[in-house]
Amino acid sequence: MSKGYSPKEIEKKWQEIWEKEEAFKVSEDRTKPKYYALVEFPYPSGQGLHVGHPRPYTALDIIARKRRMQGYNVLYPMGWDAFGLPTENYAIKNKIHPRIVTEKNVAHFKEQLKALGYSFDWDKEINTTDPNYYRWTQWIFLQLYKKGLAYKSEMPINWCTSCKIGLANEEVVNGVCERCGGEVVRKVKSQWMLRITDYAEKLLDGLDNVDYIEKVKTSQRNWIGRSEGAEVDFKLKGKEDVLRVYTTRPDTLFGATYMVISPEHPFIETYKDEITNYDKVAEYREQAAKKSDFERTELSKEKTGVGLEGLSAINPVNGKEIPIWVSDYVLMTYGTGAIMAVPAHDERDWAFAKKFNLPIIEVVAGGNVNEAAFTDTATGKLVNSDFLNDLEVTEAKKKIITWLTEQKIGKKKVNYKLRDWVFSRQRYWGEPIPIVFCEKCGYVPLPESELPLLLPEVDSYMPTDTGESPLAAMTDWVSTTCPCCKGPAKRETDTMPQWAGSSWYFLRYLNSHNDKEFASKEAIDYWMPVDWYNGGMEHTTLHLLYSRFWHKFLYDQGLVSTPEPYQKRTSHGMILGENNEKMSKSRGNVVNPDEIIEEFGADTLRTYEMFIGAFDLSAAWSKEGVKGCRRFLDRVWKLKDMIVEEDGYSKELEIKLHQTIQKVSQDFEGMKFNTAIAAMMALVNEFYRIEKVTKKEFKTLLLLLNPVAPHMTEELWEELKFDGHIYQASWPEYDKEKTIENEIEIAVQINGKVKATVKVEKEAEAAQVKPIVFEIPVVAKAVEGKTIVKEIYVKGRIYNLVVK
RNA sequence: GCGGAUGUGGCGGAAUGGCAGACGCAUCAGACUCAAAAUCUGACGAGGGCGACUUCGUGCGGGUUCAAGUCCCGCCAUCCGCACCA
């Protein structure tokens, strides 16, 4: 007997060999076909790696290793998205500089990742908090600023009362702060914004040319929320001024019986003196402003509002005077902040009209507008609408838009739900925004030569109650000279959000040591786009959309070579605790990967996480399941004692070998890692059944298994004295012809029910099979005295007799 | 309310419209052992029958088909997003 499988020794051994030999360093040979595999870089938290992390990392490690064996020049990099609140909060609590905390956490993460044996090219490692990295984050920000895509604006922002920080819309979940769960209120602050809305159309169109899983595309489309409609101007009675609205149903214009403006609408101030109930209106506005987003959502069922007295509008199609109301169901941030209300054909307007007793006029026939709003646009014809009568909805839309355009009181208009990106944070641990404010020159960007603008050392990282960044207290740092007029100026004290660094990191990997550019043109041309990017669904409308935006901007500046950064995007499912609930400290169901590696080995952990279930679905952890995977690897290990001196594949398993190579190759690429492993298990079972394995068979198995269990397969490869190391070997080939058995067992059915099975040649014709089928006793008996109505034969599948 | 998923043995999960339950876990039995563990071999959806066999069975109700987990129509449940976007 030879020695047993001992992962603890061999895993460390091979990790050192790979490192020493620079086994996974990318080649500078640009004639080789490239493959860029990418996983989302982690935030190095104090808790260390979680068993959820290895799932996507292992999956793409498998792809990376397989592609290398297939002759590709593979880039599979790793880095650290290290700016962020938890580190800052930890630093505040423990009075340690966030940089020190980050260093410690990164070291721990790196050690853990190395223990898992990933084929990352560590030479490409990046860290978003490294000045040599964020120098370029700042640089890209300046380019955005120069093109007018970064601007400062007085904005009602989402303010977390607990973190004392402004949040992007995307960071507010159910009206509370995504990070701390604290209450979020609206607060007006001057904020840096990025004009992502300018790229709404491009972000939408680009989705047609990429290979993302469908649900990611759908979510992004919904998030961008494109809608087509029209803008219409309603004249204010007795004034020259108009109230402009946006509507997707211009066809229902004859049914507009009142108008509603948002509480923040500027007309309230403009016509302060004409509005006879201004006090009441102002009071309503104040109440609306005080409501947190959470309260607004809570009360969404019940409509509230105040009618404007002394001010009314004229419906342009019929000259009728209609009232104007104020209500918080109309949002200032979408469209024009004002709507024409058509209660007969809009549910919200209907509810509002019923509550405040406003007239409801049916203009599309087909429903009962006294009972409910009729919103169907596919059926029904226009009524009560003068020149639109009898038209279908789509026709009526076209006609009214033409009419509005001719009358110069409206036009076709496309709107998006997407809003500009709030890009300031009142925090210390982020990239400083490289802008100064000068009384004379206004906002002035720093010259690029002054980048990176380093984060200064501060005494306290605590955010202030006034909502200012801790940097604001650093008067020495804040006071500077204007790059433009050389007069006194003040630095911007807000920092960038965590999403900044991750918006372009995949470009830095290409050329991480470059100190002249964010990445060389040559490297970008060769490596981009990312061939396969895997990450969490939770980033679909955040990081994934933001980074596409930045990349599209860089593309428009001629700085990158492809319009889209990622060719393919997939998503992994979560790993749940044994109790089928999300793993969390409070639930006490967290599994630490270190312990699994200690007890079973990294190869077992990798195998298990790939075998646990369909990659894109969540799956519950099972300690017993881990044991099963270790058992499988033990069985592979022990095969070395069953090797026989025989050339090639053994006769009885030749087909099985070819089938397995085919299945494993296809399943890896299709993310069906679980069935690929199942196929290898089945092959191993076959070796045990016939109690032998040839050298070539074993070699093939090792090659197939290598991407999943790299350490063990290297060790066995060495022990059996195959050439070089397995990471240098080629992926096995299969012969399509040899994956199909000559003799196939087919099912014989009577009226669709299986009665027997019979072995026939794979290409046998019906005429050859028929006599064999009828000889089967069960069949003969079933057919006896009955009429055969129909016979169906599907080659290699079934022979079905329909009898009466 | 809108959008997206999911629903198959005791459990995790497999199945280009063609023998449902591959592979794994758990369980049971046998071999090995003084014994246990480990390992190897076998059984393992449910009901009925001594038995060759037989009936039922992929969330529920219909339908298409020689044949449905798979396709179509209508529901139910769970999970995840979004949520007054005019």
Side-chain angles (χ1 to χ4, degrees), chain A residues 303 342-343 345-352 373 375:
Chain A
K303 297 270 183 289
V342 185
H345 305 288
D346 181 281
E347 279 166 26
R348 294 150 302 177
D349 297 346
W350 192 89
F352 193 84
T375 56

Side-chain angles (χ1 to χ4, degrees), chain A residues 149-258:
Chain A
L149 291 167
Y151 62 99
K152 207 155 193 196
S153 166
E154 287 280 331
M155 266 292 291
I157 59 155
N158 304 299
W159 179 258
C160 172
T161 50
S162 160
C163 300
K164 293 168 184 163
I165 187 173
L167 302 173
N169 291 321
E170 292 84 342
E171 292 168 304
V172 183
V173 176
N174 293 328
V176 300
C177 173
E178 180 192 47
R179 293 178 208 287
C180 73
E183 192 195 8
V184 175
V185 295
R186 269 184 308 282
K187 184 166 180 165
V188 175
K189 256 206 125 266
S190 178
Q191 300 281 320
W192 283 99
M193 308 284 294
L194 293 188
R195 233 181 271 281
I196 190 172
T197 48
D198 274 14
Y199 275 77
E201 196 73 51
K202 282 182 176 172
L203 288 167
L204 197 60
D205 291 346
L207 291 174
D208 295 336
N209 305 316
V210 288
D211 179 23
Y212 293 5
I213 48 172
E214 210 48 44
K215 62 177 172 179
V216 169
K217 287 192 185 186
T218 309
S219 301
Q220 288 210 348
R221 287 193 185 109
N222 291 343
W223 191 259
I224 295 167
R226 183 184 198 274
S227 75
E228 267 182 35
E231 275 184 349
V232 185
D233 291 341
F234 282 63
K235 227 177 193 175
L236 295 181
K237 191 190 170 197
K239 309 239 175 304
E240 281 310 302
D241 210 356
V242 294
L243 180 55
R244 178 168 289 181
V245 301
Y246 172 73
T247 176
T248 54
R249 296 295 305 277
D251 53 298
T252 61
L253 201 43
F254 285 90
T257 53
Y258 63 100

Side-chain angles (χ1 to χ4, degrees), chain A residues 532-551:
Chain A
W532 186 341
Y533 187 24
N534 186 84
M537 269 315 281
E538 70 274 21
H539 292 132
T540 302
T541 54
L542 298 158
H543 158 66
L544 197 66
L545 198 63
Y546 294 155
S547 58
R548 287 184 62 223
F549 161 47
W550 277 38
H551 194 264

Side-chain angles (χ1 to χ4, degrees), chain A residues 612-799:
Chain A
I612 192 167
F615 182 66
D616 58 330
L617 299 177
S618 56
W621 186 266
S622 154
K623 181 82 176 269
E624 294 303 324
V626 178
K627 270 174 36 193
C629 287
R630 170 59 193 262
R631 197 171 296 157
F632 164 62
L633 296 185
D634 278 326
R635 275 164 75 81
V636 173
W637 182 266
K638 285 186 294 185
L639 276 176
K640 69 190 164 78
D641 299 325
M642 288 161 58
I643 292 177
V644 292
E645 288 303 321
E646 197 179 311
D647 285 339
Y649 294 148
S650 64
K651 232 185 181 159
E652 53 266 70
L653 291 187
E654 188 184 17
I655 291 169
K656 187 83 182 170
L657 262 301
H658 285 278
Q659 285 174 339
T660 308
I661 298 170
Q662 181 185 39
K663 173 121 185 102
V664 172
S665 305
Q666 288 172 354
D667 284 359
F668 278 171
E669 290 295 326
M671 285 195 302
K672 293 164 81 175
F673 305 105
N674 54 337
T675 51
I677 292 168
M680 290 188 269
M681 287 173 169
L683 180 65
V684 170
N685 290 347
E686 286 297 300
F687 294 141
Y688 273 78
R689 188 178 59 81
I690 64 170
E691 295 179 321
K692 61 168 190 169
V693 57
T694 72
K695 256 195 151 169
K696 189 177 173 192
E697 286 165 347
F698 197 40
K699 189 176 183 176
T700 298
L701 174 66
L702 292 181
L703 289 166
L704 293 176
L705 188 58
N706 171 257
V708 182
H711 311 89
M712 189 191 82
T713 47
E714 283 281 15
E715 183 70 17
L716 288 168
W717 187 268
E718 185 180 69
E719 194 170 331
L720 292 166
K721 302 190 169 58
F722 291 127
D723 288 344
H725 292 319
I726 196 167
Y727 77 78
Q728 298 157 326
S730 294
W731 189 248
E733 306 273 342
Y734 65 92
D735 184 345
K736 180 106 200 179
E737 288 288 303
K738 290 185 178 154
T739 60
I740 305 155
E741 283 166 81
N742 256 325
E743 285 247 298
I744 288 183
E745 199 179 59
I746 66 163
V748 179
Q749 304 180 328
I750 305 289
N751 293 339
K753 297 211 172 192
V754 179
K755 291 290 168 188
T757 59
V758 65
K759 275 206 162 179
V760 296
E761 264 180 49
K762 65 175 178 186
E763 285 301 325
E765 297 297 330
Q768 292 166 263
V769 180
K770 185 169 178 171
I772 307 170
V773 165
F774 279 83
E775 261 173 38
I776 305 167
V778 212
V779 177
K781 214 178 120 192
V783 174
E784 206 181 306
K786 303 218 170 124
T787 324
I788 295 167
V789 184
K790 204 169 175 183
E791 289 178 55
I792 296 122
Y793 171 60
V794 182
K795 261 186 206 170
R797 295 283 184 192
I798 53 126
Y799 197 103

Side-chain angles (χ1 to χ4, degrees), chain A residues 32-33 45 94 193 443 497 603 655 750 780:
Chain A
K32 278 176 97 178
S45 71
N94 298 285
M193 308 284 294
Y443 291 108
D603 283 338
I655 291 169
I750 305 289

